Amino acid sequence: METSSDSQVLMARQPIFDRSQRVVAYELLYRDGQDAENSLFRNSGSSSEVILNSYTSISDQGELKRVPAFINLNRDLLISNDFPELPRKNIVLEIHQNVKVDRDVIVAVYRLVKAGYRIALDHFTYKPAYEPLLKMAQIVKVDVQNMSFEEVAEQVRLLTPFKVTLLAEKIQTVEMLEECNKLGFKLFQGNFLSKPKMVKGKKVDPNQAALFELVQELQNPNTTPERLENLIIRDPVLTYKLLRIVNSAAYSLVRKVESLTEAIVMLGMAQIRKWATLIALNNQSGKPEEICRSLLVRGRMCEEIALASKRTNHGSYFMTGMMSNLHLLLDIDRESMLREVPLSDEIKDAILFHQGEMGETLMYVGNYEAGDWDLLPTNFDSTLYETSYRKALDWSKEAMQALNDLD
């Protein structure tokens, strides 16, 4: 496949977790063909503040908060005399291990620390030459992807004398996550959420299946309020929450709504679709909020792209994006989930095989989110995708906050 144009500006984020698997920061991934490593820093002052706020503001357990952004520096920017002014409280500056440690680098890091910036050493394995930086850094990110448990333990032993917080990065399995936790790491980053321990033989709970049947019916353009009421009323929690939504001050009703059919008509199909989907996701308790957050971002981003491309079935794009990783909430494999949940063949083929326009969009969105931008085609519209991604981030924050307000 041809790669994307070098002139495009691309940004995405990857979560950093604490021991409770709550998001405590995001690493910002970015690329600009004109200055591949430093694109973010050309937007200084208020412009960089707007970007950082959009990418690092979340709803976390009902609280709107902003978490720090980890941003990678290259050597040229690190030692430059015109380092841009950035919000010190909201960023952590990462220095990659490929940056050679010499006098210029040591002086530059010292200057940044004295100015109030936090420093993280990225993709790190211990070498004596890095001790001057270890004495100034607050965080060390140990790349555990290709290490054995014994090798990770040795890195911890070597780094323990330094007063640094240890972050295990590129964790691919739950087993490595658990081992790093035992060894004393406090922060974690990687794809471990996408590879949970699957429970053999587990099936979709009947209540969950009923919710997903409702979500599927909401995509049917010929559905009726009466048909939806028959599906909604099976779930008392969903019924209660939908009635609370329509009776909330946000809708400024002259009188209270007392029946589901009336509530459905009042809310309208677009609002019912949104709320029913959000409530279905939110009912999956005991899982890290980031899973739900990422599903909403992916679904909304797919929908935004469909809307901008004037595709009539944009609701199906939302469903495709959201359902593509829903199995992570259910502790079953994707294929089993898709067999049990009533989705159209078009959506299933898009998820399993990236078939059709929906499947292609899902594949591109997945590559964008992961920062695998070299896998995107030359006619890739970077402005559309970056805008859609940012809109999806903002919408997911608002949606999760609204859900928590119902509890």
Side-chain angles (χ1 to χ4, degrees), residues 233 278 317 332 406:
I233 209 164
L278 294 177
Y317 279 76
I332 61 176
L406 292 177

Side-chain angles (χ1 to χ4, degrees), residues 210-224 227-229 231 269 273 319 342-343:
L211 273 174
F212 301 141
E213 184 180 354
L214 166 64
V215 170
Q216 170 67 2
E217 181 63 27
L218 287 163
Q219 309 308 312
N220 177 6
N222 299 316
T223 194
T224 64
R227 167 67 180 155
L228 293 177
E229 179 179 24
L231 292 172
M269 220 43 97
R273 180 181 295 116
M319 186 63 50
L343 291 171

Side-chain angles (χ1 to χ4, degrees), residues 94-95 119-124 130 133-134 137 139-142:
E94 293 186 330
I95 301 170
I119 303 297
L121 304 182
D122 190 23
H123 286 72
F124 194 81
Y130 284 87
L133 298 189
L134 282 167
I139 298 168
V140 173
K141 301 177 69 176
V142 179

Side-chain angles (χ1 to χ4, degrees), residues 241 275 278-279 282 398-407:
K241 289 189 174 183
W275 284 108
L278 294 177
I279 293 167
N282 201 49
E398 294 166 3
M400 293 185 74
Q401 188 62 25
L403 274 176
N404 275 286
D405 289 344
L406 292 177
D407 293 331

